[in-house]
């Protein structure tokens, strides 16, 4: 079974005093990191996709503000659930890698 640290991706204190959600990028510009993650993952996993290299305007129109699954199933309609899951995992891993050094 998954441990608490594995679910959230980092170690949390045993007792939390509060939680702060930054859903619109007011505290940090995470949207830029999401864009960079999509750009890297598409280049690596979908090199023949017509959107490569992913531009910021393409990202904003097709990926930004959408769930990963929603964006990917629209952009890659012939993909399997397993392929979408693999790409989502790669996006999460790349975003985490970027966030650790830049947020």
């Amino acid at each position: 079974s998954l441990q608490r640290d594995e679910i959230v991706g980092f170690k949390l204190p045993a007792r939390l005093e509060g939680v702060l959600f930054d859903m619109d990028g007011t505290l940090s510009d995470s949207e830029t990191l999401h864009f960079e993650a999509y750009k890297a993952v598409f280049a690596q996993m979908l090199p023949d996709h017509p959107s490569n290299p992913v531009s910021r305007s393409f990202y904003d129109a097709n990926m930004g503000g959408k769930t990963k699954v929603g964006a990917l199933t629209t952009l890659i309609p012939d993909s399997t659930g397993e392929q979408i899951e693999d790409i989502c995992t790669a996006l999460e891993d790349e975003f985490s890698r970027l966030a650790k050094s830049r947020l």
Side-chain angles (χ1 to χ4, degrees):
S1 74
L2 290 175
Q3 298 299 313
R4 178 177 162 168
D5 296 347
E6 295 172 313
I7 294 169
V8 296
F10 53 89
K11 188 149 182 79
L12 291 172
R15 177 181 149 90
L16 293 177
E17 297 283 328
V19 177
L20 184 62
F21 292 96
D22 180 20
M23 303 301 281
D24 63 356
T26 301
L27 301 176
S28 66
D29 181 13
S30 59
E31 197 67 26
T32 296
L33 300 184
H34 285 289
F35 159 65
E36 291 178 17
Y38 268 100
K39 188 174 180 175
V41 169
F42 266 57
Q44 178 185 6
M45 297 182 76
L46 302 163
D48 297 326
H49 193 274
S51 67
N52 273 321
V54 174
S55 69
R56 184 60 192 244
S57 61
F58 183 86
Y59 170 83
D60 289 342
N62 297 283
M63 301 153 173
K66 297 175 178 73
T67 65
K68 290 178 205 66
V69 171
L72 293 171
T73 54
T74 300
L75 293 169
I76 317 164
D78 296 332
S79 59
T80 66
E82 184 176 339
Q83 290 168 322
I84 294 293
E85 186 177 323
D86 290 345
I87 297 167
C88 285
T89 298
L91 286 166
E92 291 165 11
D93 291 347
E94 181 65 10
F95 177 83
S96 293
R97 186 188 72 75
L98 292 166
K100 285 179 183 174
S101 65
R102 298 190 25 210
L103 289 182

